[in-house]
Amino acid sequence: MTTPAALQASLHARIPLSRAMDVTVLHAVPGQVVLRAPLEPNINHSGTVFGGSAAAVATLAAWATVEVGLQAAGQAGRIVIRRSTMDFGQPVVAAFTARGMPPEEAGWERLLATLRRGRMGRISVRSVLECGGQAVGEFEGEFAVIPE
């Protein structure tokens, strides 16, 4: 199992944008990762979070949810985004979190079985952006996992 500190160090080393955006890992267990980002390095001309920053943190939370799940399953693989959508419910006006949601169990088991056969698999994962205790956006992405 990975710890929040270990996941954060890995993200900052492997995905430098996460360091520039000052992303911190609050929670990291199989099925759910919670990331936090402050307003300041992600601010736009309107004094709110830049949409690209919000989408990047949302994508990263979903990606990290897959990463932590693979580690827990003892399965190596390279995770790449294949397709995504992002809905912005309202402007993000302060520090915010992105909560990676657990993928469907059947889809997760199918992914692991496919990887164990040495083939590329796919998994859909959602994440929810929250600011000030309320949902402000939602991401849905399909990730391809390439066995190593």
Side-chain angles (χ1 to χ4, degrees):
M1 291 276 180
T2 191
T3 65
L7 179 59
Q8 182 173 316
S10 175
L11 291 176
H12 287 188
R14 295 167 54 203
I15 304 172
L17 180 62
S18 68
R19 186 175 347 116
M21 294 172 57
D22 201 15
V23 171
T24 56
V25 178
L26 301 180
H27 188 70
V29 297
Q32 188 172 87
V33 170
V34 180
L35 306 179
R36 180 187 182 280
L39 174 63
E40 292 75 26
N42 301 296
I43 200 162
N44 66 18
H45 66 286
S46 296
T48 62
V49 170
F50 174 62
S53 292
V57 176
T59 303
L60 195 57
W63 180 94
T65 298
V66 177
E67 173 83 358
V68 169
L70 290 176
Q71 288 176 5
Q75 181 65 56
R78 291 181 309 157
I79 307 160
V80 294
I81 187 75
R82 185 168 183 277
R83 170 183 19 239
S84 69
T85 59
M86 181 76 204
D87 291 322
F88 299 94
Q90 54 189 292
V92 181
V93 297
F96 64 101
T97 60
R99 180 180 309 275
M101 307 305 285
E104 291 181 5
E105 187 65 31
W108 184 253
E109 292 303 322
R110 191 170 39 256
L111 171 68
L112 293 177
T114 301
L115 292 171
R116 288 182 186 121
R117 289 192 305 270
R119 297 183 53 203
M120 181 186 77
R122 295 184 182 139
I123 189 76
S124 292
V125 182
R126 292 179 38 245
S127 65
V128 176
L129 291 180
E130 297 174 346
C131 181
Q134 71 182 118
V136 294
E138 187 170 318
F139 166 91
E140 185 169 345
E142 180 182 66
F143 296 87
V145 182
I146 304 158
E148 292 185 347

